[in-house]
Each structure stands twice: as structure tokens, then as C-alpha cells.
């Protein structure tokens, strides 16, 4: 398959072939479903947040991993980034229209799971 063929197919109205390793949509899916990508999108679903608010709100994520995750989601067009030229710079993140569209089913999935779990109980661990 020649390079760029997937993009040409999508432009012509044919769907991406996400099972192919060279499909550009596959990278976006990988970023959205990464360990931290889902939590960033869910965190931004109702509010635009600054970097430190995201870092403090998503327990367990390091600043380095948050920066990498945000960089990938911004590059994919799911998240926008605004830098205010202050000292230190204030950086705010929010969901683009595409990001809102993608985050909606993730939020629905999260809400369905939390409604079904008994309060304070975790699902049994495998292995």
C-alpha cells in the first residue's frame, strides 16, 4: 500500500482501515485510549483547566506523563492549548469540538461503570 493511501481513501468518503498499522486514525485511538488520555479527556469534559489543575486532579499522573499526553492530544486536534504570555506562562487546555465528540461516549462509559459499582467497592482483580 502506498504512503498516504489511507488519507486519500478517507477524503474520498471511504472509512479508515483502523486495523492497518499505517492508518492515521489508529494513532488517535491509541492516544485516546492510552492510560492517561481517557482521564485527560474526562477531566476536560466540563471545564477548561490549567496544567497544574489537571495534574492535581488526575491522581497518579506525573507532570512528565501529563505533558506527553497533552502534547499528543493537542497534535491529534482533540485538545486545544492556549498560552498567556505572563511570568510564568499560564497554559490552559480545553476540548476542541472533535475532542468533545470523542469524550462524550467516554464520559457515558465512565458514568455507566460508576452507576453499576456498589459504593466504595472495587471490581475484583484478575491474576
Amino acid at each position: 500500500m502506498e504512503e498516504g493511501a489511507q488519507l486519500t481513501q478517507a477524503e474520498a468518503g471511504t472509512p479508515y482501515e483502523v486495523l492497518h498499522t499505517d492508518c492515521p486514525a489508529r494513532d488517535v485511538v491509541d492516544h485516546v485510549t492510552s492510560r492517561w488520555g481517557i482521564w485527560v479527556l474526562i477531566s476536560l469534559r466540563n471545564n477548561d483547566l490549567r496544567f497544574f489543575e489537571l495534574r492535581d486532579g488526575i491522581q497518579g499522573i506525573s507532570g512528565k506523563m501529563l505533558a506527553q499526553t497533552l502534547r499528543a492530544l493537542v497534535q491529534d486536534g482533540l485538545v486545544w492549548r492556549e498560552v498567556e504570555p505572563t511570568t510564568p506562562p499560564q497554559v490552559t487546555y480545553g476540548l476542541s469540538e472533535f475532542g468533545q465528540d470523542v469524550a462524550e461516549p467516554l464520559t457515558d462509559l465512565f458514568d455507566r461503570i460508576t452507576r453499576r459499582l456498589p459504593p466504595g467497592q472495587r471490581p475484583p482483580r484478575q491474576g
Side-chain angles (χ1 to χ4, degrees):
M1 174 178 269
E2 65 184 77
E3 188 171 307
Q6 295 289 337
L7 188 56
T8 305
Q9 287 177 348
E11 289 171 352
T14 316
Y16 286 109
E17 294 186 34
V18 294
L19 299 179
H20 290 250
T21 57
D22 63 343
C23 178
R26 189 172 182 161
D27 290 335
V28 176
V29 171
D30 286 345
H31 296 151
V32 168
T33 60
S34 71
R35 178 172 183 189
W36 300 111
I38 290 173
W39 301 119
V40 169
L41 293 174
I42 287 175
S43 296
L44 292 172
R45 71 183 181 259
N46 295 324
N47 298 308
D48 302 338
L49 297 171
R50 305 240 327 260
F51 183 89
F52 77 91
E53 293 172 313
L54 282 164
R55 187 193 61 222
D56 294 348
I58 304 172
Q59 293 185 2
I61 193 169
S62 68
K64 179 182 177 182
M65 284 309 305
L66 178 58
Q68 288 177 358
T69 302
L70 285 166
R71 193 175 306 117
L73 295 174
V74 167
Q75 186 175 9
D76 292 338
L78 296 163
V79 171
W80 54 261
R81 177 182 189 263
E82 180 180 22
V83 180
E84 294 181 37
T86 59
T87 305
Q90 294 183 6
V91 183
T92 305
Y93 296 90
L95 292 180
S96 66
E97 186 178 329
F98 179 32
Q100 290 171 358
D101 194 35
V102 170
E104 187 177 330
L106 296 176
T107 300
D108 185 48
L109 175 64
F110 177 75
D111 291 344
R112 286 172 185 254
I113 290 169
T114 56
R115 277 195 312 264
R116 297 292 301 242
L117 285 177
Q121 183 178 342
R122 296 181 138 209
R125 297 254 179 204
Q126 299 286 331

